[in-house]
Amino acid sequence: MVDLKSYWQNYIDGQWVDGGAGRIDIINPATGEKLAEHALANAVDVDKAVQAAKRVHLSGVLSDLRPVERGRMVIAMGKYLLDHIDQIAPILTLEQGKPLWESRIEIEGAARYFEYYGNQAETVEGRSIPLGSGYFDFTTYEPFGVSAQIIPWNYPVEMTARSLSAALATGNTIVIKTPEMTPITNAWFAYAAEAVGLPKGAVNILCGLGHEAGAALSSHRDVNQIVFTGSVPTGIAIASAAAKNVVPCVLELGGKSAAIVHDDADLEAFENDVRWGIYFNAGQVCSAMSRVIVNETIHDDLVERISRMAKSLKVGPGIELQEFGANMGAMVSEGQRDRAADMITEAVSQGAKVEAGGRKLNTPGAFLEPTVLSNITPDMTIANEEVFGPVLSVLKFDSDEEAIRIANGTPYGLVGGVFTKDIDKATKAAQKIRAGQVFINEWYAGGVETPFGGYGKSGYGREKGREALWNYVQTKNVAIKLKG
Ligand code: NAD
């Protein structure tokens, strides 16, 4: 049964509170109907949350703990999410649109971050630097303090988990600004924080409009570090605000990621990569496979295969899609769906051919057919701009150099893929692709353990893996002059 209250509040300093900016309607994208209301924070609420987080940080109650103690709490938060997956998953589906089984995968993924970073808490060790016999010198890693985390609507649970778990494991306190369209499920992080015994004010969670609460948070003078996932223009606004306070940022800003498919690739297996790469979460994934760059000799065969697969996907309300399988839910909103549909129309006007899908469903809700576009050339808008929807663009190449040139031809550089049996070709391509992560023969290979982040306009800093821990700590060097 879905336990859906009609009104959800913000969580500041251990209290559930209304928002100074009123309320926002949360819409079920599968029906277009109102699901619930959520409190909207204003700048005053943001300040209260930041002050609470600052107070807890300065008290040392988290940062002074033996790391294993913090780690145990972080691990327990992940277990809490798993224990409540039956409650959280349907609500995530109702607010975000993804199939119920995808919501469960997202929550399991979120729990995995808490497991991983909880276990890393006691591994953040300094080192001793030799300065000769007259000195003893060592480094320590200290938390920044208040970590501000601005979350996107595509994976609200997993994205919060990614930054919250690492920030807590390293002893920071946190203010989370949840996305306006999908804020509800973040409430379980507050429940989890209470359940595992984190002090009041260590984790604050508020929903608010980007230009109001988001801007107030990213420009707040008592915020010490910022994590953002979302669009390039918003990333620039946040980085500019952070720069004014000389505060470090991690920016993860999406991409236009390409899979290069050589003529010896296993095309049957590749169908599955496309299925996950561009139709998982209806393509609303920053690292989606939004371009396929295929050797022209196998172009027609490949297009036929992936178009057949795209047409075989059942599209419908996520709450009815309970079993893992060949199906896809609604996009997050009619606005995002219409934006993607308009990009298809524009692509067609520039010469694209619709091989599969291309249309909105003639039913209520933010549905768009799984789409394959061929006849795409690198100069077209759709070959360069993020659609953030279930729309695959297929381009051709006739030499390895051309494939790399096309792959690297956008301002983005989040991930890339190479599909071939030739290990030398794959390795050379991996060296030349300008992206933070390269998948060989499996899109999305990797996991919580593997560092993730962008080159170019896809952002900077890395999430996931051990590398991400260093976003949340600053190095202190202590040099001791010894007597005698
Ligand atoms: P957005 O970048 O504007 O929003 C993401 C988050 O930033 C939200 O929490 C929002 O409230 C907040 N925000 C917005 N303006 C802000 C500001 N001035 N200061 C601080 N915070 C602010 O994204 P959007 O408008 O929801 O979506 C637009 C496009 O962004 C999408 O079509 C897609 O291309 C891209 N996007 C990418 C990702 C990703 O994972 N890389 C996620 C969401 C959206």
Side-chain angles (χ1 to χ4, degrees):
M1 202 185 71
V2 184
D3 175 21
L4 190 62
K5 294 185 293 185
S6 59
Y7 173 51
W8 297 73
Q9 291 174 296
N10 290 326
Y11 183 71
I12 298 175
D13 204 3
Q15 307 293 322
W16 292 98
V17 295
D18 291 337
R23 298 182 180 196
I24 188 168
D25 288 348
I26 308 305
I27 305 298
N28 177 351
T31 61
E33 288 165 6
K34 180 167 148 182
L35 198 58
E37 293 178 4
H38 201 292
L40 268 188
N42 64 6
V44 175
D45 299 324
V46 168
D47 182 55
K48 284 182 188 155
V50 173
Q51 296 312 331
K54 182 180 173 184
R55 186 196 74 236
V56 176
H57 172 63
L58 293 179
S59 76
V61 62
L62 265 187
S63 52
D64 290 352
L65 279 180
R66 189 167 173 163
V68 66
E69 300 294 338
R70 272 200 314 271
R72 285 182 185 139
M73 286 194 274
V74 173
I75 292 168
M77 286 183 75
K79 291 201 177 113
Y80 184 93
L81 295 183
L82 290 180
D83 288 344
H84 294 82
I85 193 168
D86 292 339
Q87 279 171 276
I88 311 168
I91 298 179
L92 178 56
T93 284
L94 291 174
E95 69 174 350
Q96 204 276 342
K98 64 187 63 181
L100 190 58
W101 60 268
E102 284 196 28
S103 289
R104 295 184 74 89
I105 290 178
E106 175 169 348
I107 295 157
E108 285 161 4
R112 178 81 183 96
Y113 281 109
F114 286 97
E115 179 187 37
Y116 180 75
Y117 285 115
N119 278 313
Q120 303 282 331
E122 56 185 329
T123 71
V124 183
E125 297 167 340
R127 60 199 175 107
S128 172
I129 298 168
L131 291 178
S133 64
Y135 297 89
F136 177 55
D137 184 285
F138 60 93
T139 59
T140 57
Y141 293 108
E142 297 184 349
F144 274 105
V146 178
S147 170
Q149 308 185 350
I150 299 175
I151 307 298
W153 43 257
N154 54 340
Y155 284 94
V157 178
E158 209 166 347
M159 294 301 93
T160 297
R162 187 166 81 180
S163 43
L164 175 60
S165 57
L168 274 176
T170 43
N172 295 273
T173 57
I174 296 102
V175 179
I176 293 159
K177 209 294 281 170
T178 61
E180 299 91 312
M181 287 191 275
T182 59
I184 298 176
T185 40
N186 262 252
W188 271 267
F189 293 110
Y191 304 151
E194 289 189 350
V196 307
L198 282 171
K200 284 185 193 318
V203 177
N204 304 272
I205 302 176
L206 46 86
C207 179
L209 300 177
H211 66 264
E212 188 172 17
L217 182 59
S218 52
S219 61
H220 199 294
R221 285 166 177 246
D222 289 322
V223 161
N224 307 113
Q225 183 257 8
I226 301 177
V227 183
F228 171 72
T229 301
S231 64
V232 174
T234 303
I236 293 171
I238 287 172
S240 305
K244 290 203 177 105
N245 290 326
V246 197
V247 159
C249 273
V250 181
L251 299 181
E252 203 264 88
L253 307 180
K256 193 74 203 177
S257 303
I260 297 174
V261 186
H262 288 283
D263 56 4
D264 61 348
D266 179 345
L267 294 191
E268 198 177 323
F270 186 68
E271 287 176 32
N272 209 33
D273 292 286
V274 175
R275 189 263 172 274
W276 293 106
I278 191 64
Y279 302 125
F280 194 56
N281 201 21
Q284 301 162 117
V285 184
C286 38
S287 49
M289 181 202 287
S290 53
R291 293 181 295 156
V292 164
I293 305 169
V294 57
N295 186 308
E296 59 187 3
T297 60
I298 56 163
H299 172 272
D300 295 354
D301 184 10
L302 182 103
V303 167
E304 203 213 306
R305 282 168 177 274
I306 59 182
S307 301
R308 198 179 332 118
M309 182 277 297
K311 287 175 190 162
S312 75
L313 297 180
K314 177 184 165 195
V315 181
I319 204 72
E320 294 168 14
L321 305 175
Q322 303 191 358
E323 302 297 328
F324 175 94
N327 52 52
M328 196 181 84
M331 292 181 67
V332 74
S333 68
E334 292 186 12
Q336 282 296 314
R337 190 272 312 270
D338 292 348
R339 181 179 166 279
D342 289 349
M343 288 184 78
I344 295 171
T345 306
E346 188 190 0
V348 169
S349 76
Q350 292 177 359
K353 182 173 171 215
V354 179
E355 301 278 359
R359 291 170 309 183
K360 306 177 193 180
L361 289 200
N362 195 16
T363 58
F367 295 102
L368 183 66
E369 292 174 330
T371 299
V372 177
L373 300 176
S374 67
N375 220 22
I376 305 295
T377 50
D379 53 314
M380 288 163 65
T381 311
I382 202 144
N384 292 283
E385 291 184 9
E386 193 172 39
V387 179
F388 226 63
V391 182
L392 179 70
S393 295
V394 183
L395 300 94
K396 290 180 194 172
F397 72 85
D398 67 7
S399 70
D400 294 1
E401 293 70 31
E402 189 188 15
I404 299 286
R405 201 165 52 243
I406 297 171
N408 287 341
T410 80
Y412 289 109
L414 191 53
V415 304
V418 190
F419 293 78
T420 176
K421 294 190 182 75
D422 182 334
I423 187 70
D424 292 320
K425 203 176 256 199
T427 309
K428 280 194 182 132
Q431 288 170 341
K432 288 184 181 158
I433 288 175
R434 285 199 303 272
Q437 190 167 25
V438 178
F439 306 125
I440 309 287
N441 290 333
E442 185 186 85
W443 199 262
Y444 294 144
V448 169
E449 309 90 327
T450 48
F452 172 72
Y455 281 29
K457 293 276 192 299
S458 291
Y460 47 73
R462 293 292 176 268
E463 297 276 19
K464 300 185 172 180
R466 282 187 55 75
E467 253 182 277
L469 286 168
W470 315 120
N471 297 328
Y472 299 92
V473 290
Q474 47 199 338
T475 308
K476 179 178 279 178
N477 187 82
V478 180
I480 304 170
K481 170 85 176 88
L482 301 175
K483 269 196 186 159

